[in-house]
Amino acid sequence: MTGLVKAKKYDWKDSNMALFGSETEKNVKKESAQTEPAWKNAGKEIGVQVWRIVKFKVQPWPKDDYGKFYEGDSYIVLNTYKEQDGDQLLYDIHFWIGRYSTQDEYGTAAYKTVELDTLLNDVPVQHREVQGHESELFKSYFKSISILKGGADTGFRHVKPEEYKPRLLQITGTKVSVTVTEVPMKRERVTSNDVFILDKGLEIFQWNGKSCNKDEKYKAVQVLQQIKSERGGKPNVETFDEDDNGAGFFDHFTDDDDDDDDDSEFEDDSKTPELYRLSDASGEMEFEKLKEGRIFKNDFNSKDVFIFDNKKECFVWIGKGASKAEKQNALSYAHKFLQVSTHPLIPVTVVSEGQENKSFRSAIAA
């Protein structure tokens, strides 16, 4: 009998994310988008809608679970809104990729994002989000974001209590954005700066670090209440304070802690913005670096497509006069560019000339 195999992280060098912005995109017609059952009520009303990718299909995500993401899955998030004093519905579409989401899942998420954009008459701004590197815009849709191990089908509701595998949740942030992340069951992951919850199914333990803030404590209480509610009020809860009896919290750890994940390969000390141009004016598609340092609005030319990487977010800027080939290959080139960078997981946003979003405008030098 073969033992359990640890899920594979997304492999950016083996990604079919090139679907997003390639010829495949142009084959996604509005007619086919209109036959997708998941899009029946998409973008009809102001607010956030979330879908999960399951076996190449788009399934609505329960509203009670909005803000909860499993690292084995991929999701599509649509935010519908109106600008102040405006009548037109506007949209942001994000596809979110979990750390262990399969290539098929996040490829489908990218493909379906294009499809939804087509259905909404190309009005939306499109974004790529990667677990642990979400944009501020994405995080603003939810009171908090909870990132859990496994896939949605491995949640407590699908597992008998006696078979439930313990998990450690780290709660960190401020009132603006508090994140709940499932982290490896390692004692050294428990730090004084945050609040932690050790969830053992029918026993739940909260640990308050001596330097944690009130927002983290408040969120921890909310998480505990939600968990107890989902389990019919059965779990027993105990709280430990580091300054008081915090040591007892570690008595509930086991020796067979999970392996830690190392994302150090993605760390980047460079913060210098860079600007690249994608152009086929010469008869061949050329991708060249234009400048680095402060990037200004007049550095962009309407005739071409530009990749603006400020190391926190990567923008694909499409000029009004860009050719069909430039438009089709824009995001694919951005994705390939990030693959070989030291920061491949940062958010990617596609903006059109004249329709730049607030994030892009604030990233450009005044």
Side-chain angles (χ1 to χ4, degrees), residues 12 35 43 49 63 68-69 72 84 98 117-118 135 158 162 189 209 228 230 248 259 267 270 326-327 333:
W12 299 101
T35 64
Q49 295 170 279
K63 288 191 175 183
K68 181 187 295 184
F69 299 93
Q84 191 174 8
D117 176 83
T118 302
S135 65
H158 304 276
E162 60 272 16
R189 291 302 295 261
K228 289 192 67 173
E230 290 175 352
D259 292 334
E267 293 179 359
S270 174
E326 290 168 351
K327 292 177 181 179
Y333 267 82

Side-chain angles (χ1 to χ4, degrees), residues 29-30 91 116 146 185 203 242:
K29 304 296 184 181
K30 182 177 295 188
Y91 315 93
L116 180 55
S146 299
M185 289 276 295
E203 289 183 305
E242 184 177 11

Side-chain angles (χ1 to χ4, degrees), residues 6-10 12 17 67-75 77 94-102 105-106 127-135 138-139 145-152 168-170 179-184 189 260-263 266 312 343-348:
K6 187 174 182 179
K8 181 182 178 182
K9 287 186 182 180
Y10 31 62
W12 299 101
M17 205 66 75
K68 181 187 295 184
F69 299 93
Y70 285 86
E71 64 180 11
D73 296 329
S74 288
Y75 301 79
V77 176
H94 308 249
F95 64 96
W96 184 92
I97 307 166
R99 183 188 303 272
Y100 296 108
S101 175
T102 67
E105 287 171 339
Y106 58 72
H127 309 262
R128 184 202 75 175
E129 307 283 351
V130 177
Q131 176 186 333
H133 299 263
E134 294 85 359
S135 65
F138 182 85
K139 291 189 287 188
I145 291 179
S146 299
I147 300 176
L148 307 175
K149 289 184 177 294
L168 181 63
L169 305 178
Q170 180 180 18
T179 302
V180 182
T181 305
E182 185 171 355
V183 296
R189 291 302 295 261
D260 204 348
D261 292 317
D262 183 11
D263 283 334
F266 299 137
K312 296 180 180 179
H343 48 282
L345 310 182
I346 63 174
V348 178

Side-chain angles (χ1 to χ4, degrees), residues 2 27 119 124 139 154-155 160 169 183 193 232 324:
T2 304
N27 294 328
L119 179 66
K139 291 189 287 188
T154 64
K160 296 178 181 179
L169 305 178
V183 296
N193 295 327
K324 179 180 178 181

Side-chain angles (χ1 to χ4, degrees), residues 25-36 39 111 114-123:
E25 174 186 351
K26 307 312 296 180
N27 294 328
V28 180
K29 304 296 184 181
K30 182 177 295 188
E31 290 79 7
S32 65
Q34 290 173 334
T35 64
E36 169 59 66
W39 304 149
Y111 182 96
V114 175
E115 183 180 83
L116 180 55
D117 176 83
T118 302
L119 179 66
L120 298 174
N121 299 312
D122 299 322
V123 174

Side-chain angles (χ1 to χ4, degrees), residues 150-219:
D153 294 333
T154 64
F156 185 89
R157 297 171 184 169
H158 304 276
V159 180
K160 296 178 181 179
E162 60 272 16
E163 298 174 356
Y164 185 78
K165 184 179 180 180
R167 60 179 180 167
L168 181 63
L169 305 178
Q170 180 180 18
I171 301 171
T172 184
T174 62
K175 187 175 182 179
V176 176
S177 178
V178 179
T179 302
V180 182
T181 305
E182 185 171 355
V183 296
M185 289 276 295
K186 292 280 189 180
R187 298 189 183 196
E188 56 264 32
R189 291 302 295 261
V190 181
T191 64
S192 299
N193 295 327
D194 301 315
V195 175
F196 291 81
I197 292 176
L198 177 58
D199 179 7
K200 301 182 72 174
L202 296 179
E203 289 183 305
I204 307 175
F205 307 95
Q206 176 179 336
W207 190 88
N208 300 321
K210 60 184 179 182
S211 300
C212 70
N213 61 52
K214 60 180 178 60
D215 298 315
E216 291 164 342
K217 287 184 178 181
Y218 179 73
K219 183 59 186 178

